[in-house]
Amino acid sequence: MFAQQIDTQPGPSSLRDSTFLEEKAFQSRTVLIFGTVTDTLASETVRKLLALDADSDAPITVIVSSPGGHLESGDAIHDVVRFISAPVNMVGTGWVGSAATHLFLGAPRERRYCLPQTRFLIHQPSGGAGGSASDMALQAKEIIKARERIAQVISRETGQPIERVRMDIERDLWMSAGDAVAYGLVSRIIQHKRELDPR
């Protein structure tokens, strides 16, 4: 007996629904960053930020729920958030980890918020070094440089001493919403969009 095959490909109706929801989010100047941080996600996010910035100087809200991913893709979003003229409100929800925490720190501290159940994760970058001994040595040097760069950004954006940050990212450091506020990752915990800075 054969199991009935279920078509998992999105049909015209679901594609229309997805397009409609994307348009509504765009009209409300909201950008969603959900899932693993990849070059594709970074490209889509940067395009949206640039388009919204060109449209108006009104604030943009970026909602983040991501375990992290590719560090340099997170760099791209982090830097463009700082590059554009429109102010960006970052709102964490679910979990914000690793490269997602890095892009989250692109907004100034007073514009970094989270919902009550959000968890945050900071740690040093990891890499699967392979190849020849000289290639592995080069990769190790790059990871060390990336670790120091991450530590400098976290220290700058939270106000924590660089020595403490270097120690904190040696291992996974998980934080609750309250812990993240105390650490300086987040300015405050909110429960409703009306609590965002309207300016």
Side-chain angles (χ1 to χ4, degrees), residues 31-92:
V31 176
L32 306 179
I33 299 177
F34 277 64
T36 304
V37 178
T38 64
D39 57 347
T40 300
L41 182 142
S43 174
E44 292 172 355
T45 301
V46 166
R47 281 203 305 270
K48 290 174 182 176
L49 290 170
L50 292 173
L52 288 169
D53 184 55
D55 184 60
S56 167
D57 286 338
I60 300 167
T61 299
V62 177
I63 300 178
V64 184
S65 179
S66 166
H70 190 244
L71 175 60
E72 284 75 12
S73 298
D75 282 337
I77 299 170
H78 175 107
D79 289 347
V80 169
V81 165
R82 299 170 71 86
F83 172 77
I84 61 178
S85 299
V88 175
N89 294 317
M90 285 283 181
V91 180

Side-chain angles (χ1 to χ4, degrees), residues 122-133:
I122 58 172
H123 61 186
Q124 63 179 311
S126 59
S132 66

Side-chain angles (χ1 to χ4, degrees), residues 33 35 37 64-70 74 90 95-106 120-121:
I33 299 177
V37 178
V64 184
S65 179
S66 166
H70 190 244
M90 285 283 181
W95 66 329
V96 181
S98 191
T101 304
H102 184 62
L103 70 86
F104 185 86
L105 292 174
F120 290 82
L121 168 66

